[in-house]
Amino acid sequence: MISEKEFLARLPRSVSHWLGYRENAPKPPAKYLVHFWSFIAAFCGLCVVQAIFNYSTYFIERGVPGLVASFGASAVLVYGSIEAPLAQPRALIGGHFLSALVGICITKLFSLMPNEEKFNSLRWLAASLSSAVAIVVMQITETTHPPAGATALLPAVDEAIWALSWYYLPVVLLSSTMILVVALIINNIQRRYPVFWISPPAAKPVLPQASK
């Protein structure tokens, strides 16, 4: 089975470059370039997501909010700390989706209370439990993405999100995908993203120095 790097190396350079592949490790860019491209990427990424949900009749009719709040925090990682393991595609996509699934499932279980008043009085508990379970799920699946903790609790604390019901899942998945697409374009102009897609590169073993 070929490695992730070998697979990317087989793709045309015009494709692999925008998927984060570099034959040799790139030199760290100057700080002012990091600041500049972080700003541009975050601005463009969040604009794209909000434009889709705010101006598409399909989403407006379904009451989809312009932006799931937790993606503002994702922008900090995916556009500002692009080499962090928590900012890689596996964490971004998997973390948000699994957390959204956990949040919806747990909140729906709480909604089975005898009456709505009882359900509303325990939403704080559903929110706390959702985030706690989501953390463990992300740890088990190696998709830890801190902003996704908020994605998990939103169904319990945000009426607009709760009203989406199961439709929350494709909304989160689409939002994550758009954030990623913008990252692949802008983060690869003078930087490199992602560092890995599925598994981090194996660390090179440190050989002990021979004693003189």
Side-chain angles (χ1 to χ4, degrees), residues 1 10 17 30 38 42 58 73-74 87 89 100 102 107 121 130 137 145 151 153 166 181 203:
M1 184 175 180
R10 294 182 181 183
H17 177 88
S38 295
Y58 179 85
S74 288
V102 167
T107 307
S121 69
S130 294
V137 170
H145 186 67
T151 302
L153 64 80
W166 295 109
V181 168

Side-chain angles (χ1 to χ4, degrees), residues 50-124:
Q50 291 180 90
I52 290 173
F53 293 131
N54 282 328
Y55 294 100
S56 170
T57 303
Y58 179 85
F59 293 116
I60 293 173
E61 290 175 348
R62 286 159 178 77
V64 177
L67 181 71
V68 176
S70 53
F71 284 97
S74 288
V76 177
L77 283 172
V78 178
Y79 303 131
S81 300
I82 65 175
E83 294 183 352
L86 305 178
Q88 304 311 305
R90 174 173 176 157
L92 171 67
I93 303 292
H96 273 300
F97 182 79
L98 292 173
S99 295
L101 179 61
V102 167
I104 283 291
C105 288
I106 289 178
T107 307
K108 280 192 171 292
L109 286 175
F110 272 78
S111 71
L112 298 176
M113 292 288 177
N115 54 66
E116 188 172 353
E117 182 180 355
K118 186 68 173 176
F119 167 54
N120 288 332
S121 69
L122 291 177
R123 280 194 172 199
W124 62 272

Side-chain angles (χ1 to χ4, degrees), residues 8 24-25 28 43 45 48 73 82 94 122 130 133 142 148 170 172 179 193 209:
L8 292 174
N24 299 307
F43 177 77
V48 166
I82 65 175
L122 291 177
S130 294
V133 172
E142 297 183 355
V172 165
I179 290 288
Y193 179 85
Q209 294 182 348

Side-chain angles (χ1 to χ4, degrees), residues 122-145:
L122 291 177
R123 280 194 172 199
W124 62 272
L125 187 59
S128 302
L129 183 60
S130 294
S131 276
V133 172
I135 289 172
V136 176
V137 170
M138 287 189 285
Q139 288 174 334
I140 293 172
T141 57
E142 297 183 355
T143 57
T144 298
H145 186 67

